[in-house]
Amino acid sequence: MLYYRTYVKDESLPWVTFVHGAGGSSAIWYKQMKAYKKYFNVLLVDLRGHGQSGRGTWEDGDHFSEVSREIIDVLDHLRIEKAHFVGISLGTIVIQTIAQEHPARVASMILGGAITELNWRTRFLIAIANATKYILPYMLLYRLFAWIIMPKKNHLESRHAFVRQAAKMCQKEFINWLSLTKSVNPYLEKLQSSISHIPTLFIMGQEDHLFIKSVKTIAQKAKTATFKVIKGAGHVCNIDEPDLFNQITIEFINRQKRRLAS
C-alpha cells in the first residue's frame, strides 16, 4: 500500500485527499496543512516510487488507472467513502482518472497547475526526454524540465521543492513515470468528456505558460467547472502563492459542502 498520513479533526467533517505531481511527494503540500487542518480531515499520499512509498511494480501497459487504483485502496483501507481531491500538475490527471473510474468517491476536484492537454512545446520536451532517458541522468532532465516549466525568480521555491523531492526517485522509476505520458492527449480528451458532471475548480498560476491556455478553454466549456487565476504564481501555484491558493480552494470546498447538505 502507498505511504499515507492522516490528520483527523472530526469524523463528521469532510475528507480532503491531496495528490502531488510526478517527481514530488506529499511534502509539497506543507503550505496547505495548517489552513486545511482547521476545517477538514486530511489525507496525504505518496504516489508509487515517490516520497516514502515503495518502488512501483510496473507492468507493460500500466497507465493512470493502476496509479489511481492505489489511491482508492488507501481510501478503502481507511474506510473513507468520499473525499474532495486536491491535486497539482500530473497529479491532476490521476485525480481526473479517479473521477472517471470511481465517480462515487469524488465529492469535488481541485486541479492546480492542471494538465488538460500537452501542447507542442511540452510534447517536444517529452520527446527529448524519451530519446535520452537511457543516456542522461534523470536528475539532469528533471532539473531542465523544472526550469522550463517554472523559469522565473518567483518560482524558485517551487522549482527547488520539486527537484529536492525528485532526487529521492531513481532512474528506473523516472522512466516508468515518463512512459505514462505516451499518447496522453487522446486520453485527456476522453477523461474530460466523461467527468464533466463533477464540481471542478481549475486553479492556475498566471505565469503557468505551458498549460493555462488549454485549461481556460476546457473550463469555459464545462458547466460544472470554475476557473481561477492567481497572479504572480507559476505552475506550482500552491507554493508560489499559498495564502490565495488556500483561501480560494477552501471556499470552493465549503460551497460544495453546503450544496451537498441542502
Side-chain angles (χ1 to χ4, degrees):
M1 185 172 291
L2 300 177
Y3 172 80
Y4 67 87
R5 286 177 292 157
T6 60
Y7 299 95
V8 180
K9 181 174 176 62
D10 187 318
E11 291 289 352
S12 66
L13 293 173
W15 278 91
V16 178
T17 300
F18 286 86
V19 183
H20 62 81
S25 79
S26 56
I28 68 155
W29 302 108
Y30 66 100
K31 291 191 175 185
Q32 278 62 63
M33 287 305 97
K34 183 178 179 180
Y36 267 79
K37 287 190 293 183
K38 290 179 182 177
Y39 303 101
F40 311 111
N41 301 317
V42 173
L43 168 63
L44 297 168
V45 294
D46 286 345
L47 298 175
R48 60 162 75 173
H50 293 71
Q52 297 186 57
S53 285
R55 303 296 177 204
T57 303
W58 296 82
E59 299 178 6
D60 289 342
D62 266 11
H63 208 276
F64 288 102
S65 295
E66 289 73 23
V67 175
S68 301
R69 177 69 241 183
E70 291 170 352
I71 295 176
I72 293 297
D73 288 343
V74 175
L75 267 66
D76 288 344
H77 175 72
L78 295 171
R79 299 181 180 178
I80 298 172
E81 226 174 275
K82 200 166 195 169
H84 301 271
F85 284 82
V86 183
I88 197 76
S89 192
L90 203 72
T92 65
I93 304 180
V94 177
I95 290 174
Q96 290 173 81
T97 303
I98 293 172
Q100 181 192 48
E101 301 189 358
H102 310 277
R105 313 301 291 272
V106 182
S108 71
M109 300 185 290
I110 295 173
L111 308 179
I115 298 176
T116 57
E117 180 186 32
L118 301 183
N119 62 22
W120 69 268
R121 292 182 183 86
T122 314
R123 294 197 303 272
F124 179 69
L125 288 173
I126 290 171
I128 291 174
N130 275 306
T132 59
K133 62 189 177 185
Y134 295 111
I135 304 168
L136 296 177
Y138 82 95
M139 281 306 299
L140 180 63
L141 289 171
Y142 198 89
R143 285 192 181 95
L144 175 63
F145 280 17
W147 180 78
I148 290 170
I149 295 171
M150 300 170 272
K152 295 191 175 184
K153 285 184 180 180
N154 54 310
H155 307 161
L156 185 64
E157 186 178 358
S158 301
R159 192 161 66 242
H160 283 180
F162 263 79
V163 169
R164 279 196 307 271
Q165 293 302 316
K168 299 176 183 178
M169 297 177 73
C170 65
Q171 187 91 0
K172 183 178 179 182
E173 206 67 31
F174 175 80
I175 290 169
N176 287 332
W177 275 90
L178 191 61
S179 70
L180 294 186
T181 61
K182 292 178 180 177
S183 305
V184 77
N185 272 352
Y187 178 70
L188 286 170
E189 188 176 343
K190 181 183 176 184
L191 270 186
Q192 285 138 24
S193 65
S194 65
I195 60 175
S196 58
H197 61 289
I198 294 176
T200 303
L201 169 64
F202 292 99
I203 182 164
M204 307 293 290
Q206 188 182 35
E207 298 164 355
D208 193 352
H209 60 104
L210 287 180
F211 303 108
I212 191 169
K213 186 177 179 181
S214 62
V215 170
K216 184 177 181 180
T217 301
I218 291 291
Q220 287 173 339
K221 292 178 181 177
K223 293 180 180 178
T224 57
T226 303
F227 179 71
K228 294 288 186 181
V229 175
I230 299 179
K231 292 182 179 179
H235 184 59
V236 188
C237 51
N238 67 299
I239 293 179
D240 292 341
E241 291 290 343
D243 292 341
L244 264 177
F245 182 92
N246 295 344
Q247 177 189 334
I248 293 167
T249 56
I250 288 171
E251 285 177 358
F252 176 80
I253 294 174
N254 282 329
R255 283 200 302 275
Q256 306 316 310
K257 180 184 172 183
R258 291 193 294 271
R259 181 184 61 84
L260 290 170
S262 62

